[in-house]
């Protein structure tokens, strides 16, 4: 909207990071009421898990960026839903250029051509309203830049919106490498997830259950980090 604002994101670099080598990159979003510190500082055992998965050879070393969808105090007046859509603009125009010009990814240039050419080395995932943001701003808004996706405990995206965006002329021929969806069996978000993802699967031939799409429902889990920690553990071993 024309304002200048300053935001920050955390960047996780794997042990032994070598700026002469390219790395896959995962952008990881928090949920309502939290911030860019939520995944890796507030719940630091997620960082420990990353360290151990890499050290054990279960996953390749990667870069992880944890941004926030909040912009100053906008949510107090407008509600949060608009931010799940508007994040697309700062992701593409600000966050990705800032992160991938400083750290070594597969993007050979920090522009549309460079990001599009390296899309299969880039993933985005989020929890709760961060999952909604993943669908609105990334899966439906930046499929040209990303090929791997994770949505944990959140959706709010109906079949018509999916059809309008991922099957648009710009996106309809792009491969979708993987979509991971998860929830807890006692999670209040689960019914809407089942409805929305069911509609998506019915209309999108690029997504095949058990091939490049999984929907895990964890027993005895609620809308909490106990659910999302497991989801991140699974996602990390299924992308790239």
């Amino acid at each position: 909207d024309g304002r200048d604002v300053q935001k920050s994101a955390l960047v996780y670099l794997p042990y032994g990071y070598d700026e002469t080598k390219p790395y896959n990159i995962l952008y990881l979003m928090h949920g309502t009421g939290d911030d860019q510190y939520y995944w890796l500082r507030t719940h630091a055992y997620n960082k420990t898990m990353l360290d151990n998965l890499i050290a054990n050879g279960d996953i390749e070393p990667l870069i992880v960026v944890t941004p926030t969808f909040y912009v100053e105090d906008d949510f107090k007046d407008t509600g949060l839903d608009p931010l799940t859509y508007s994040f697309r603009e700062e992701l593409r125009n600000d966050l990705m250029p800032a992160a991938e010009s400083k750290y070594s990814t597969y993007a050979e240039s920090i522009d549309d051509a460079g990001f599009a050419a390296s899309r299969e080395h880039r993933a985005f995932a989020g929890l709760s309203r961060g999952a909604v943001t993943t669908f609105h701003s990334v899966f439906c808004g930046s499929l040209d830049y990303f090929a791997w996706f994770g949505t944990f405990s959140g959706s709010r995206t109906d079949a018509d919106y999916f059809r309008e965006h991922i099957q648009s002329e710009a996106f309809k021929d792009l491969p979708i490498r993987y979509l991971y969806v998860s929830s807890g069996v006692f999670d209040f978000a689960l019914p809407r997830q089942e409805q929305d993802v069911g509609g998506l699967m019915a209309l999108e031939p690029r997504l095949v259950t058990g091939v490049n799409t999984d929907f895990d429902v964890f027993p005895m889990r609620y809308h909490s980090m106990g659910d999302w920690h497991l989801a991140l553990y699974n996602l990390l071993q299924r992308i790239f």
Side-chain angles (χ1 to χ4, degrees), residues 13 29 38 58 73 103 108 111-112 122 130 132-133 143 171 174 208 226-227 233 240:
L13 299 179
M29 184 68 82
Y38 186 75
D58 296 316
D73 293 327
Y103 302 104
E108 295 185 357
D111 55 18
D112 182 72
R122 192 173 295 107
V132 181
T133 303
L143 193 60
F171 291 169
L174 295 172
V208 180
D227 181 352
Y233 175 81
F240 307 129

Side-chain angles (χ1 to χ4, degrees), residues 27-30 39 124-132 134 150-154:
Y27 291 82
L28 192 58
M29 184 68 82
H30 63 83
W39 273 108
F124 200 106
L127 66 87
S128 193
R129 201 172 297 269
V132 181
T134 302
T151 57
F152 316 151
S153 300

Side-chain angles (χ1 to χ4, degrees), residues 76-88:
K76 292 182 179 178
D77 298 321
T78 64
L80 292 175
D81 282 343
L83 301 182
T84 68
Y85 298 93
S86 62
F87 180 76
R88 174 188 182 274

Side-chain angles (χ1 to χ4, degrees), residues 110-218:
I110 308 303
D111 55 18
D112 182 72
F115 291 139
S118 57
R119 66 183 293 273
E120 297 214 1
H121 297 280
R122 192 173 295 107
F124 200 106
L127 66 87
S128 193
R129 201 172 297 269
V132 181
T133 303
T134 302
F135 272 140
H136 290 170
S137 283
V138 193
F139 189 71
C140 290
S142 299
L143 193 60
D144 52 337
Y145 285 5
F146 291 82
W148 311 80
F149 306 91
T151 57
F152 316 151
S153 300
S155 178
R156 295 184 178 224
T157 314
D158 61 30
D160 288 340
Y161 192 84
F162 282 128
R163 182 182 296 106
E164 178 184 355
H165 291 84
I166 65 171
Q167 294 183 345
S168 65
E169 280 300 311
F171 291 169
K172 65 182 179 66
D173 295 324
L174 295 172
I176 302 171
R177 292 297 302 274
Y178 187 67
L179 171 64
Y180 180 71
V181 182
S182 72
S183 191
V185 70
F186 299 130
D187 195 321
F188 67 80
L190 178 58
R192 181 62 190 268
Q193 283 181 282
E194 292 176 323
Q195 173 185 318
D196 289 355
V197 174
L200 169 63
M201 297 302 293
L203 68 88
E204 181 46 70
R206 288 172 290 180
L207 296 175
V208 180
T209 300
V211 177
N212 69 341
T213 308
D214 289 304
F215 194 150
D216 287 344
V217 179
F218 302 120

Side-chain angles (χ1 to χ4, degrees), residues 52-88:
N52 288 333
L53 285 170
I54 293 170
N56 292 337
D58 296 316
I59 63 174
E60 293 295 319
L62 79 163
I63 297 170
V64 180
V65 179
T66 61
T68 175
F69 51 72
Y70 286 113
V71 182
E72 295 184 328
D73 293 327
D74 289 359
F75 67 97
K76 292 182 179 178
D77 298 321
T78 64
L80 292 175
D81 282 343
L83 301 182
T84 68
Y85 298 93
S86 62
F87 180 76
R88 174 188 182 274

